[in-house]
Amino acid sequence: MKFPKSTNLVLLAACSGALFFSLPEQPSDSQVPTLPTQSIVSAKSTTKSQKITQTDITADQAIKVFQDEHPKSDVTALTLEKKQGKYSYEVEGLSNSEEHELKVSAQNKKVSDKGTETLDQVEQKGVKRQEEKLNTKDLLTVKQAVKKAQEKVKSGNVIEVSLDKELGITYWQVEFEQSDKEISVNINANNGKFLSKETSELDD
């Protein structure tokens, strides 16, 4: 999952190993570092319980299923969404020479849609793996990430929650849909800090 080029957000400077990010035009959050975001979506009131947070299988369990299938690989992306009436996790990962993906049922851990591809020669020997592997230690749960995101979005239905990495930070992206717009909120996946929010109008 990558960010759109239109996102107005850039790494400003790196000094003594510290990262500094530009800020979105949101005065109330002016002191919070941000990440680039992409738009995706969701519709109903976030004050009500979200079914996406009530799945039987947690993100940690889905990651464990992937690691059992591919013990020599690191997880590089994870997405929880509803398709054909059922929630499932799509997990991607890399070994030193291969890229793997699979789907894990959020109800019973059943694995489906498995696939493996050989990496290009320039991406092998762990180069791409080191760049993209997520920090999956002490992750916020999906429920915790959604709760944090709801502090920034007062209404809207969560339709997708994804785990990704940018600028060295592993983050949860929580996607909402309202009647006329899409809102995407990024939350640091390890400490729960708000990173950024993007809003876009829905097409007619």
Side-chain angles (χ1 to χ4, degrees):
M1 182 176 294
K2 302 299 180 186
F3 300 107
K5 294 181 180 179
S6 60
T7 304
N8 182 24
L9 175 65
V10 191
L11 174 66
L12 294 182
C15 207
S16 300
L19 295 178
F20 299 86
F21 303 92
S22 64
L23 303 175
E25 296 181 2
Q26 299 177 32
S28 60
D29 298 314
S30 60
Q31 301 303 313
V32 185
T34 65
L35 282 176
T37 59
Q38 64 180 31
S39 295
I40 317 183
V41 282
S42 92
K44 289 184 182 173
S45 173
T46 57
T47 58
K48 297 180 180 179
S49 177
Q50 296 281 354
K51 290 184 178 180
I52 200 168
T53 67
Q54 301 172 351
T55 55
D56 297 324
I57 307 305
T58 66
D60 281 339
Q61 289 174 316
I63 289 171
K64 178 65 164 54
V65 170
F66 177 89
Q67 291 173 332
D68 287 344
E69 290 269 341
H70 304 288
K72 296 183 179 180
S73 298
D74 289 309
V75 174
T76 57
L78 176 146
T79 301
L80 172 61
E81 61 183 336
K82 189 176 185 179
K83 289 185 177 179
Q84 298 180 336
K86 296 181 180 180
Y87 285 104
S88 62
Y89 293 92
E90 292 186 5
V91 190
E92 300 175 20
L94 291 166
S95 66
N96 286 345
S97 59
E98 294 179 322
E99 185 169 16
H100 309 285
E101 63 179 38
L102 55 78
K103 184 181 291 185
V104 181
S105 168
Q107 282 71 50
N108 56 24
K109 294 187 185 180
K110 184 178 179 180
V111 175
S112 61
D113 298 342
K114 295 190 290 186
T116 295
E117 293 184 1
T118 301
L119 294 172
D120 294 337
Q121 189 171 1
V122 294
E123 298 174 328
Q124 294 188 14
K125 298 182 180 179
V127 175
K128 187 175 182 181
R129 177 180 183 176
Q130 289 301 315
E131 290 177 351
E132 298 187 10
K133 70 176 182 179
L134 304 179
N135 178 6
T136 58
K137 184 179 180 181
D138 300 325
L139 284 177
L140 268 69
T141 64
V142 168
K143 186 174 183 178
Q144 289 171 328
V146 168
K147 185 177 180 180
K148 289 285 185 180
Q150 287 173 337
E151 295 174 3
K152 303 296 178 180
V153 181
K154 302 306 179 184
S155 66
N157 187 53
V158 180
I159 61 162
E160 182 175 306
V161 181
S162 57
L163 191 65
D164 212 330
K165 177 182 177 180
E166 190 74 12
L167 302 178
I169 297 175
T170 298
Y171 64 93
W172 281 113
Q173 184 173 82
V174 183
E175 298 163 8
F176 299 83
E177 183 180 74
Q178 297 177 349
S179 58
D180 60 346
K181 55 189 165 185
E182 304 172 358
I183 303 173
S184 180
V185 179
N186 284 350
I187 302 294
N188 188 303
N190 304 112
N191 61 27
K193 290 183 179 179
F194 168 73
L195 297 172
S196 61
K197 180 174 76 171
E198 181 177 301
T199 300
S200 61
E201 299 297 322
L202 287 171
D203 295 332
D204 294 333

